[in-house]
Amino acid sequence: MRLISRRDAIGLGVFVAVAGHTAALASPVEAESEIARFSAGATPQTRNITIDLPEIAENGNSVPLAIAIDSPMTERDHVSEVLVVAERNPRPVVAKFQFTPMAGRAQASTRIRLASSQSIIVLAKTNSGVLFVSQRPVKVTIGGCGG
Amino acid sequence: MQPMKGPIAVLRRLSVAAFAVAGACGMVTDSNGAERVKTSAPIAIEGDASPRPWTRYPGWTTRNFSGFNSLASTASPPVALQPRKLDGPIVGDPAIGRQLVADRRRGGSCLACHIMGTAGNADLPGNVGPDLSEIGNAGRDDEWLFNYVFDPRVYNPETIMPPWGTHGVFNDSEIGHIVAFLKTLKEPARFASALDDPRKRPTPEEKRDNLDPLVNPGMWAVEKAQELWKTPGPNGSSCVSCHANPEAELKTWAASMPYWEPRLHKVLGVEEFVTRHAKATTGQVFLMQSDENTALAVYLRYLANGTPIHLDQTSAEAREAYSRGMALTTRKIGQLNVSCADCHSPDKGGLKWVRGQWLGQLRGQLDHFPTWRTSQQSVWDIRKRFQWCNVAIGADDLPPDAKEYGDLEFYLAAQNDGLKLNVPGIRH
Amino acid sequence: MDMAEQPRIKLPGQARKGEIIEIKTLVSHAMENGLRRDQNGVTIPRKIINRFVCEFNGQLVFSCDLDTAVAANPYLQFFAKVEEDGTFRFSWTDDDGSTLTAEEKIIVTA
């Protein structure tokens, strides 16, 4: 459900192919600037980032999110920081995780709030500045006839 | 906000003066080995178990629904008997109609129940009603379309669709716009993803470990109740004074609830029983839906987890409560004019989607109550769920200890007969 | 609802040297995002836990900067690789500067 396209993310706009169709990330300016800041000019690589999210969230108040990045997590080569962005939330940055080799795995999960159906973008940086990116869409149900 | 005098007035009314017969606080084991509430368990007879006058919870809509039926009152406008004659063809703007049918502020509007082509970006429409994507080709004239939206009962007395015009949700000109839009629908809907198509959407399955406190914050209630159990009330006694070993003594009790209480001439659920029993014994006042009451209600059922729900329906009064409850599930209420059965019976809206939410049937809806609601970040008991549903469809909520809710809970519990308690639940 | 209740932490009491263990944490907190209004229309001010830190024997294992989109009663699950006996120390910091801490010991066998 997540592929990294060969196009580079340069500042604004990250193009990713998701589930067979290409979706331009029409992210609001805030989300883009947070992503640009985190990326610090690095070009994202292809890597195994798994983003676990329900396809349809039962509500926007508590959506389980799990992130896993393939990494040896040694002193020499480990994921050091992960940025989670919800492109359509009022404040796009959801959380920033910091990992050390003592974590053993570049894996974490939490529960988040989503204002509407949107894509969650995950960027991961290693200790040597290598950048990975992936995204996953989630539909958010807001009440049926009233909740 | 509830008026300050409410709870205090209730406290005065739950007077010490009128107690039930204070027999031994013992449990009776019936022939099935299940414990039953002995009808001599002390309960406070006077007063209400929740504040009066009842006012809606903060944060819920403040709209007044007194012009429509509730479970306790009849007030809805009369049913239209004849279709209205129109003066001429409909003049409406399909672009406005396209917005109105997707307007969530108007009772979910049409998309709650119908696929409607590209309206609302075909974003999670429901399928309680038929797919209307090609209604523009169905050979229906303007007058028929107008009247169907205004009050479908003139064509189908059994309909579960709201009478949008008779009940004042849409005015004539808005219905005109809607009709103009309907006439443009001539092609099957195209969905951005299979998830949007209610016919292909996977049915939600609840798989969370609801008894793991790290998964279900609602487990706070169990710990809180264990503290309360030992906390003395004004009389100097606490629950533990009579119930020293709840894990053993109350191992199946809650599975027999709710029950018919002859001293009050109504059905009592666990929550109301806690209010009245605590007051009559330790002197503590735990009104329904207070944190303490909710914690104890969760705990009492938690102790009986794994026990199949089974009500005592041997008395004539209990059977009458069941019949009244059943009738209440078919009573049309609210501005949207629906009954419980309209949404939760599989032969109507049950097991279908209303917008992006799955409508469960009655069986399977009680065994996990009280439940943590992730959308509310709090534990709700079944009475609060009833209140919420009432308000959501445009009907006034009743106080949680309303006798109508008691009858409804009795009928609902009977539909859940044999299902094992699993409390606290975790749901949206 | 504040950080009055104790945080819940789940991790094994014992592990083998070099094993990667799973840690789950949950703390009671409304995580008020500053966007809600009360019944009088007044905005309820933002008040969240904005930082979580997990250390082992004084060394950083994992940390998290939380923003307003982390759900109420924040739950964080992560891993730690243990090489020796010791103490995990967890801390949650509120916008108001107050910090809640908790500790859990672990025995590490060869």
Side-chain angles (χ1 to χ4, degrees), chain B residues 209-281:
Chain B
D209 183 356
N210 56 299
L211 300 182
D212 178 350
L214 286 150
V215 171
N216 186 355
M219 284 294 288
W220 71 265
V222 172
E223 287 171 14
K224 171 89 177 171
Q226 287 168 329
E227 266 175 51
L228 287 169
W229 205 261
K230 300 178 283 208
T231 307
N235 297 345
S237 59
S238 61
C239 311
V240 80
S241 312
C242 288
H243 302 287
N245 190 1
E247 277 95 12
E249 298 168 27
L250 297 170
K251 200 165 161 52
T252 63
W253 175 78
S256 64
M257 295 295 276
Y259 76 108
W260 175 261
E261 175 52 74
R263 293 166 289 180
L264 286 159
H265 209 70
K266 66 188 284 203
V267 170
L268 283 197
V270 171
E271 294 78 15
E272 190 172 356
F273 180 83
V274 164
T275 304
R276 296 185 181 280
H277 184 58
K279 179 61 183 167
T281 54

Side-chain angles (χ1 to χ4, degrees), chain A residues 21 55-56 58-59 61-62 111 117 139-147, chain B residues 104 107 123-124 195-196 201 208 214 354 356-357 373-375 388 392 428:
Chain A
H21 69 271
E55 288 186 313
I56 304 183
E58 65 185 9
N59 59 65
N61 226 13
S62 180
R111 298 192 272 255
S117 299
K139 292 193 82 65
V140 178
T141 284
I142 303 168
C145 216
Chain B
R104 285 182 190 273
D123 180 16
L124 294 175
L195 297 176
D196 286 303
R201 221 176 281 163
R208 286 171 284 202
L214 286 150
V354 61
Q357 309 226 294
R373 291 204 65 192
T374 58
S375 57
W388 176 263
H428 86 93

